[in-house]
Structure formats: C-alpha cells, structure tokens
Amino acid sequence: MTTPDQPIDAVPTTYGGTTFRSRLEADWAQTLDANGITWQYEPEMIALPSGANYLPDFWLPELGTWIEVKGPGIPRTEKAVELGKTRACHCDGDCTCRWPGGELVIIGRPSLPWDGNARGHRPSAGYANWESAFGPSAYHVTCPRCTRDQWITLRRPWTCRNCQRGLEKQQIHLPHERSLRFVEGSGGIGSAFSNPALDAPLTDEEIAAVDPYQDPYSHGLHDPWSDQ
C-alpha cells in the first residue's frame, strides 16, 4: 500500500501488454479495468495554446475524461491545468458540448489506504485518490442506468457522461469518502490483497501489514445532493 506522502519510483511496468512509465500508471490502468472503464494510454500529443506539447497519460473515450497520473511531491501539473481550462465547457447558457461540462481533466494520485479501523476483515487494496486539474471538484459517481463509474462536476445538468441520462438523485463522492476501489497489482503491500475475501478474518501477516497511515479527513459517506 502506498501512502500519499511516500515517494514512488518511476519504474517502467508492463500490464495487459502495455508498458507504462511507472508502477502508479499501471495501477491506475488496472483500477480502470477493474471498474469497467475503457481507457487509452498516451493516445495523443496535444498542442496547448501556450505552445507547449502535452502527452496526457490516459484518455477515457466513453467518458470524455483525461487522467494525468502524478505521485506525491510532483507539483508540475501546469499542462494538465491548461488542458482542463482549454477543454472545459465555454458555452453561453445551456451546455451543448459532446460531454456534459466539456472534457474533464483529473489528476490521479497514489491511493488512499483502507480504513485502518476495520480490522476484523482482510485488508483490501486502497481507494482511488484524485483531484480536478481545473475548475470545480470532480466527484465519483456510478450511473444507475448504464452502471458506468465516472467523474463529474457539480455543474448542471448532472448527467451521465456515458449514456447522457440524468444523475439528479445519485450519490456522489469525493476521494476521502473511499468509494472507488484502487487495484495495486504492480508493487507495494496492496498488490498481495488485490482481490481479497472480504468476509475472511485477518491473518497475523496481514495485521502486521495494515497501513498505519490515517487520513485525517476520513469520515462516513456523505451525499452532496442532499445539500442542494
């Protein structure tokens, strides 16, 4: 298990026939696969308005979403921010973009650990951690109609980016609410328990391996729709 303040080596890692520049990128690819999200790795070199060339890590073609994977202590997200600003919705009035709110750019971070208080079950892999590269926060949501996991912002209309159906009453989550399982199959403690039997008791070895890191912002699931 990788904690948010632990350095990550950029070790080339092969998964599913694709060689990624780092283990963290490979873990994100496995996480997307595990959650049924179609992805393309570094599909396009993009010329930004600033004149810089940018090769984002992942494009999610069914969701109109880019993911730039960054480890801890790597602040250089200027290109992701510029892409997010450029591809965001600029419609006057109702949004007519191909994807609601325009293309979304998020920063994929190292995983958050499982809840260290839940010591009566086997530890799972952690939970996905992300942030919006530009604009409003990105929330994880599962569409009840097409069952597609995705990220959206709170810009109206709240619409599935895959099937275009409304999400007005669907529960949405920020990263600290630990809603999206993260698969760490290429290295770290989490790789040993990527597919745990959640109803089995902890072994002595697993108890010793439980990550001591505690997210100070962790709390129970909250439904932001209830605040609207």
Side-chain angles (χ1 to χ4, degrees):
M1 174 66 60
T2 301
T3 63
D5 56 355
Q6 178 180 342
I8 295 178
D9 295 331
V11 177
T13 302
T14 299
Y15 162 71
T18 299
T19 298
F20 299 88
R21 299 177 189 272
S22 70
R23 290 178 294 190
L24 184 57
E25 289 181 355
D27 288 343
W28 266 96
Q30 292 181 85
T31 296
L32 294 171
D33 279 345
N35 290 282
I37 300 174
T38 301
W39 54 270
Q40 298 170 359
Y41 181 62
E42 296 187 343
E44 177 184 356
M45 180 70 75
I46 299 173
L48 297 172
S50 64
N53 290 322
Y54 177 37
L55 187 63
D57 293 323
F58 292 97
W59 167 243
L60 314 184
E62 296 175 343
L63 304 177
T65 300
W66 300 92
I67 300 179
E68 177 68 22
V69 175
K70 292 291 186 182
I74 304 177
R76 297 190 62 85
T77 58
E78 296 91 344
K79 292 182 180 180
V81 171
E82 185 176 357
L83 179 65
K85 182 177 181 179
T86 302
R87 299 293 179 90
C89 175
H90 298 288
C91 299
D92 291 328
D94 294 339
C95 176
T96 59
C97 297
R98 166 66 178 82
W99 288 279
E103 294 180 14
L104 182 62
V105 182
I106 66 173
I107 307 297
R109 296 294 188 179
S111 65
L112 295 172
W114 57 81
D115 182 358
N117 294 320
R119 301 180 67 86
H121 297 78
R122 295 168 65 91
S124 66
Y127 291 86
N129 187 18
W130 69 87
E131 62 199 56
S132 177
F134 172 80
S137 296
Y139 291 79
H140 166 241
V141 63
T142 303
C143 177
R145 295 173 178 83
C146 70
T147 70
R148 188 57 47 85
D149 283 286
Q150 60 196 277
W151 291 269
I152 64 171
T153 69
L154 294 187
R155 174 170 178 163
R156 293 180 184 271
W158 298 318
T159 306
C160 175
R161 298 177 68 84
N162 178 60
C163 71
Q164 311 299 312
R165 300 293 292 273
L167 295 171
E168 292 288 328
K169 299 298 182 180
Q170 197 62 21
Q171 190 174 56
I172 60 176
H173 306 278
L174 288 171
H176 64 264
E177 294 172 313
R178 291 172 166 81
S179 63
L180 186 66
R181 290 281 295 276
F182 192 81
V183 181
E184 294 179 274
S186 57
I189 293 173
S191 62
F193 314 122
S194 294
N195 296 291
L198 295 179
D199 58 349
L202 286 169
T203 65
D204 291 341
E205 179 182 6
E206 289 166 343
I207 290 174
V210 170
D211 197 318
Y213 173 80
Q214 293 293 311
D215 176 9
Y217 302 104
S218 176
H219 55 73
L221 292 180
H222 169 64
D223 183 359
W225 299 129
S226 63
D227 298 334
Q228 304 303 317

